[in-house]
Amino acid sequence: WRPHGTQLHRTGLKASVSMSTTTDTRPNDLEAWLAQERDVRARMDAGVGPGVARPEQVAGKTGLQVMQGLLAGELPYAHMAKTLDFMMIEVGPGLAIFQGTPAVQHLNPLGTVHGGWFASVLDSALGCAVHTMMPPGRGYTTADLSVKLVKAITPKVQRVRAIAKVL
């Protein structure tokens, strides 16, 4: 099971992402994923919470510094991540890893996780990976997003992880 996607930005950068689920991993991997999620959630919950960064909070910062600030809880993270129950887990130059918890509120009428949930997690991971490459004062927007799903999942899957890399 490997949903994947590509994203092209007006910046001219191209990124790629793949997803894996806890059913694709060994039990120790799941434990590590959950431990990393607890650590990140604790930092973010102790930080400024969801919201929109003020211009003075991001002035002079590179995209990587902004993403690191989000992960550290120093800058607000997107409300949508809380609503859809996913979060950034790791960030580095040209890299962003997001993790989500598929749940009943994410189901389509047929009982599987809605494709829009996948697209949101994928787009967020891809966008943040691209943002890590931005110089101070520069932004990005998704100009094209393509998602290919090869198998549906249900909330029985404990976690889904999207790993995005700038190509």
Side-chain angles (χ1 to χ4, degrees), residues 10-154:
R10 290 187 185 154
T11 62
L13 294 174
K14 186 176 181 182
S16 177
V17 65
S18 64
M19 268 190 167
S20 59
T21 68
T22 51
T23 57
D24 297 332
T25 63
R26 298 179 306 249
N28 290 345
D29 291 338
L30 174 60
E31 291 172 21
W33 285 18
L34 296 174
Q36 190 177 19
E37 182 180 300
R38 280 190 299 275
D39 291 344
V40 171
R41 191 174 305 281
R43 280 195 311 269
M44 293 175 85
D45 287 346
V48 298
V52 177
R54 295 182 314 277
E56 63 271 14
Q57 289 178 295
V58 296
K61 293 183 190 244
T62 65
L64 179 58
Q65 291 169 323
V66 169
M67 293 296 109
Q68 290 168 332
L70 295 172
L71 198 54
E74 298 163 0
L75 293 171
Y77 61 90
H79 280 281
M80 187 174 82
K82 191 167 190 154
T83 301
L84 295 178
D85 201 8
F86 65 82
M87 63 172 39
M88 182 171 25
I89 292 291
E90 189 176 323
V91 68
L95 171 74
I97 300 174
F98 273 63
Q99 186 165 296
T101 306
V104 172
Q105 65 267 25
H106 307 129
L107 297 181
N108 63 30
L110 301 176
T112 59
V113 176
H114 193 281
W117 186 82
F118 289 109
S120 295
V121 176
L122 291 166
D123 187 49
S124 296
L126 285 163
C128 288
V130 168
H131 196 74
T132 67
M133 306 302 288
M134 296 293 104
R138 184 113 183 252
Y140 70 94
T141 188
T142 303
D144 183 56
L145 174 67
S146 174
V147 178
K148 308 286 187 224
L149 300 175
V150 285
K151 185 177 179 184
I153 66 165
T154 68

